[in-house]
Amino acid sequence: MSSALTDLFPLPIVQAPMAGGVSVPQLAAAVSEAGGLGFLAAGYKTADGMYQEIKQLRGLTGRPFGVNLFMPQPEYADAAAVEVYAHQLAGEAAWYEIELGDPDSGRDDGYDAKLAVLLDNPVPVVSFHFGAPSSEVLESLRRAGTFTLVTATTPDEALAVQRAGADAVIVQGVEAGGHQGTHRDNPETDGTGIGLLSLVAQVREAVNLPIVAAGGIMRGSQIAAVLAAGAGAAQLGTAFLATPESGANALHKQALTNPLFVRTELTRAFSGRPARGLVNRFLREHGPYAPAAYPEVHHLTSPLRKKAAASGDAQAMALWAGQGHRMARELPAGQLVEVLAAELDAATTALSALRRGGAGA
């Protein structure tokens, strides 16, 4: 792992940036204070909203942290398909007594304004989701003293990250909760995602960048596994979602271990882009015909998701979760980092003992 990154945090544990109000300053601060790398999620926030959270986080910890940005999306959605989906959701809107959102509410997520803030007020780490930024953007952040990471879900995407000039790549396996960080949203590749251990090994052979491994990691032994496969650190999202510092809705936290929700699926039902969530009524009923249209579908369903949460109806919420969700632990975030580190040490020690035993045989 690049010493420039590992010098920022002593433990190889990164708290994933989870948009939608989950990755709040309190969570990021607790993780950073415990020796990991806490992250804020700038997605779906205004530039000023992001800046205010950065200020708040800096008031909670003097340790390094990161901020995640969504890349602007190209205009390739089929407007007619979005309109058809809106008609199909009319019954949901009537049931919750709300109006569907405007699908044309913007597609760049305030990217340029957020970059300007991060260049004027540099933070230690910035990561990017849904594509690789330009070489000029990455170089400007480097000059500002910021370490940059970009998500990749295939070896080819990792090569694009390397060509762009990022300092490290976040290798996201198909097990990951929330949105897959694919660089292009191609419906023809739905269901073809690569598992994390296989992907880390492939990316390790394809690029010379340091790797942060993400996807379904819930235990220190799994961190040991991805480190053995070639990663320098592990990024965990669902594991931190259940912590008291997390800003996730209480229904979302409870659903992680609720026997009612037995599995996860990748779906376009809530946002128009593949994202892994707990299978609930909304996902089952609308996932099969949701169009490839992000962020149009995200804007369209936003009032529905908010009303469902306010009504205490988990069956119509976007319950993002990774495949390891049943292993979630309701520990304070700092304590969870300590437990994960202890589990990592135990797994590493056990592996060393096995190697010594094998050599002695």
Side-chain angles (χ1 to χ4, degrees), residues 20-175:
V22 178
S23 296
V24 293
Q26 292 81 359
L27 175 59
V31 173
S32 290
E33 283 291 305
L37 181 67
F39 251 95
L40 295 175
Y44 310 134
K45 291 185 174 68
T46 63
D48 183 64
M50 177 193 73
Y51 176 61
Q52 295 304 321
E53 286 205 343
I54 292 171
K55 285 177 58 178
Q56 186 180 353
L57 177 52
R58 282 180 165 143
L60 295 172
T61 182
R63 302 293 297 271
F65 62 91
V67 175
N68 174 257
L69 299 182
F70 286 169
M71 291 296 297
Q73 298 299 291
E75 295 200 26
Y76 55 69
D78 183 344
V82 174
E83 186 176 352
V84 168
Y85 193 53
H87 285 303
Q88 291 167 327
L89 294 178
E92 298 276 359
W95 174 259
Y96 291 106
E97 298 180 331
I98 55 94
E99 295 289 330
L100 294 172
D102 179 4
D104 299 318
S105 296
R107 56 190 315 103
D108 68 353
D109 200 49
Y111 178 75
D112 290 336
K114 290 172 184 175
L115 269 180
V117 170
L118 293 170
L119 290 171
D120 288 342
N121 303 272
V123 299
V125 181
V126 170
S127 68
F128 297 85
H129 211 55
F130 299 146
S134 68
S135 299
E136 291 76 15
V137 165
L138 292 169
E139 179 57 31
S140 63
L141 287 167
R142 183 175 296 110
R143 288 197 301 268
T146 297
F147 192 93
T148 56
L149 304 98
V150 180
T151 299
T153 63
T154 66
D156 284 345
E157 289 180 353
L159 284 166
V161 171
Q162 180 170 270
R163 287 193 297 269
D167 295 311
V169 59
I170 300 171
V171 174
Q172 185 193 37
V174 73
E175 305 94 331

